[in-house]
Amino acid sequence: GESVGLHLPTLSVQEGDNSIINCAYSNSASDYFIWYKQESGKGPQFIIDIRSNMDKRQGQRVTVLLNKTVKHLSLQIAATQPGDSAVYFCAEDAGGTSYGKLTFGQGTILTVHP
Amino acid sequence: KAGVTQTPRYLIKTRGQQVTLSCSPISGHRSVSWYQQTPGQGLQFLFEYFSETQRNKGNFPGRFSGRQFSNSRSEMNVSTLELGDSALYLCASSFFRRGNTIYFGEGSWLTVV
């Protein structure tokens, strides 16, 4: 079946570096995408979202890029901090009658070294 | 503003028993979804409720059920527990429209022994 997948399971960076986490999706009908951060022992925390009619959206220190041509999504974190260490998930909303259903990628473990 | 609240946070059950998990959505949110998270399968959608009606259901056996009350609070039940049901069960809430941001609770850790 269609799914959202992540290219890199782990990412290790130095404090202050910029981080880029990638995600590939296969459902061309998906029209809404979300990035979540999950720290150990906690639930997923909303970071930023983007709709399919946009290519880029910026938040505080984060930017999400959407390339519908190649079905690719990325999360950029500027000036990465140790507190950014967590598992990052991309999720897609397939549209139609998929109420409340998000399809999640496997997740990328981001480790930030001081 | 309080977030999504789930109870209990941790519980241990014996195989064959049943369990009920509770979720209080963010105030004003009327859609509640449930997910199962395991190391092997990741985050998987269980079901979604709105106005006390199940609008969507994932690919889980009938042992997994849920309901929503008139105040939007929701419960999920797992009957005849199996060892493989050990997981983090996450509740999420949003306003009623598709495309509204979905916020998650901290989850209920279920261990089946």
Side-chain angles (χ1 to χ4, degrees), chain A residues 31-32 34 36 38 41-46 49 51 89 93-105, chain B residues 9-10 31 33 35 37 43-45 48 55-56 58-59 88 90 96 98-107 109:
Chain A
D31 58 2
Y32 179 54
I34 311 171
Y36 288 95
Q38 187 173 27
K42 296 186 177 181
Q45 175 188 349
F46 172 83
D49 57 4
R51 302 186 191 281
F89 294 94
D93 185 330
T97 58
S98 64
Y99 299 108
K101 179 180 179 179
L102 296 175
T103 300
F104 283 82
Chain B
R9 284 280 285 141
Y10 305 92
S31 168
S33 304
Y35 288 77
Q37 185 175 25
L43 279 145
Q44 293 189 295
F45 172 77
E48 186 264 3
R55 291 195 298 186
N56 200 4
N59 296 321
L88 176 64
L90 292 159
F96 58 94
R98 273 200 54 255
N100 290 143
T101 304
I102 295 176
Y103 295 94
F104 283 83
E106 296 296 287
W109 288 93

Side-chain angles (χ1 to χ4, degrees), chain A residues 4-11 21-24 35-38 86-91 103-110, chain B residues 37-39 41-43:
Chain A
V4 177
L6 291 173
H7 295 300
L8 300 174
T10 61
L11 178 63
I21 301 172
N22 296 300
C23 174
W35 280 99
Y36 288 95
K37 169 187 180 183
Q38 187 173 27
V87 180
Y88 289 79
F89 294 94
C90 64
T103 300
F104 283 82
Q106 294 176 337
T108 292
I109 301 172
L110 174 65
Chain B
Q37 185 175 25
T38 60
Q41 299 297 320
L43 279 145

